[in-house]
């Protein structure tokens, strides 16, 4: 391989639902906005996840791993890990994946698992972040793309985007406006990762020129 030849980064994406963030990454790869990357597979813990249909429409392998077939989270994640390795995964994206992943899986892919969360972390961790933001009364909220570490929603922050909370916002209207920013942030971060522009130094993530 000459220095000019870039390796293709293989991305596996874990989903549980609708999959707009998955779609955003698919579109960015197909349009050439993200180069030298391909989606190796989409793994879902929900058979009916619409994200699996999105994958299929784009000729991407979708794999349903049924939680009912495993007796513990560790066993389930062993199966996921097996698939990730089989697909020679370089980068794992959590895109609306509702399971907490085990420390073993996280440690195997140190600084190679990225998540998106619909709040400005460290505020409003966990579920229903938009509802939490409205109830707290914040005037601005946003989304956070971060590396995944064993503590929930606590890994080094790569990118955040901000939106205003309007007086008459409901969790649904806020989530809808936020999603537009989420979809942008996720594909921007994936591009930075693929282009090897992210440098992690403790809690700080620097973007190289
Ligand atoms: C997004 O709001 C994301 O921040 C959160 O789950 C939702 C997933 O949406 N983690 P989608 O499945 O990507 O459309």
């Amino acid at each position: 391989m000459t220095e000019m030849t870039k390796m293709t980064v293989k991305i596996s994406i874990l989903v549980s639902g609708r999959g707009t963030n998955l779609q955003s990454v698919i579109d960015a790869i197909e349009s050439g906005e993200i180069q030298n990357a391909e989606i190796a597979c989409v793994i879902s813990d929900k058979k009916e996840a619409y994200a699996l249909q999105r994958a299929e429409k784009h000729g991407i392998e979708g794999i349903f791993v049924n939680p009912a077939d495993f007796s513990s989270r560790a066993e389930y994640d062993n199966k996921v890990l097996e698939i990730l390795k089989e697909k020679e995964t370089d980068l794992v994206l959590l895109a609306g994946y509702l399971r907490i992943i085990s420390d073993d899986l996280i440690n195997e892919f140190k600084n190679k698992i990225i998540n998106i969360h619909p709040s400005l972390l460290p505020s409003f961790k966990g579920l229903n972040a938009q509802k939490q933001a409205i109830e707290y009364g914040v005037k601005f909220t946003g989304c956070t793309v971060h590396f995944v570490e064993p503590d929930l929603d606590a890994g080094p922050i790569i990118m955040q985007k901000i939106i205003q909370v309007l007086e008459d916002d409901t969790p649904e209207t806020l989530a809808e406006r936020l999603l537009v920013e989420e979809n942008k942030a996720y594909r921007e971060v994936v591009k930075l990762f693929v282009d090897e522009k992210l440098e992690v130094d403790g809690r700080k993530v620097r973007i190289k020129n």
Side-chain angles (χ1 to χ4, degrees):
M1 195 178 65
T2 66
E3 248 186 274
M4 295 300 288
T5 324
K6 282 235 170 175
M7 296 277 284
T8 300
V9 174
K10 293 189 178 153
I11 306 173
S12 294
I13 307 187
L14 274 52
V15 298
S16 297
R18 178 181 59 177
T20 65
N21 285 297
L22 163 74
Q23 188 70 55
S24 178
V25 176
I26 293 175
D27 292 346
I29 292 175
E30 287 189 351
S31 72
E33 183 184 327
I34 299 174
Q35 297 194 354
N36 303 311
E38 67 181 36
I39 300 181
C41 68
V42 170
I43 301 174
S44 175
D45 65 330
K46 298 264 184 342
K47 193 167 190 217
E48 67 286 358
Y50 184 61
L52 284 175
Q53 291 184 41
R54 292 182 191 266
E56 198 186 337
K57 277 187 199 153
H58 291 266
I60 297 165
E61 185 180 2
I63 303 168
F64 165 53
V65 183
N66 189 352
D69 292 341
F70 302 87
S71 59
S72 66
R73 182 154 75 215
E75 259 190 52
Y76 184 90
D77 279 1
N78 272 342
K79 178 66 192 173
V80 171
L81 186 58
E82 192 185 301
I83 299 170
L84 295 176
K85 285 185 170 169
E86 188 188 301
K87 301 291 172 193
E88 299 176 341
T89 303
D90 301 302
L91 170 65
V92 180
L93 299 180
L94 309 184
Y97 185 58
L98 292 176
R99 292 176 71 85
I100 291 176
I101 59 179
S102 63
D103 292 3
D104 284 353
L105 180 52
I106 295 171
N107 293 332
E108 281 268 352
F109 281 86
K110 176 94 181 133
N111 292 339
K112 288 178 181 167
I113 306 180
I114 294 178
N115 182 42
I116 185 156
H117 183 78
S119 76
L120 294 174
L121 291 172
S123 292
F124 315 129
K125 296 178 178 182
L127 292 175
N128 303 317
Q130 301 91 339
K131 184 163 179 272
Q132 291 185 55
I134 289 176
E135 285 175 357
Y136 197 89
V138 293
K139 304 296 184 193
F140 291 88
T141 187
C143 61
T144 303
V145 185
H146 64 94
F147 285 111
V148 172
E149 287 200 343
D151 282 347
L152 188 67
D153 297 331
I157 291 172
I158 307 168
M159 185 180 284
Q160 294 186 304
K161 289 196 187 279
I162 297 169
I163 65 166
Q164 196 172 359
V165 180
L166 305 176
E167 262 178 31
D168 56 358
D169 258 331
T170 62
E172 292 72 28
T173 60
L174 184 59
E176 197 183 324
R177 286 204 318 287
L178 193 49
L179 203 57
V180 177
E181 299 307 313
E182 287 192 38
N183 294 168
K184 276 190 223 156
Y186 224 178
R187 60 178 185 265
E188 285 174 23
V189 165
V190 172
K191 180 171 167 52
L192 290 169
F193 183 98
V194 170
D195 292 343
E196 299 180 353
K197 294 267 174 73
L198 299 179
E199 197 173 73
V200 188
D201 177 12
R203 282 215 52 84
K204 303 236 170 71
V205 181
R206 295 202 179 82
I207 297 177
K208 296 191 260 179
N209 285 323

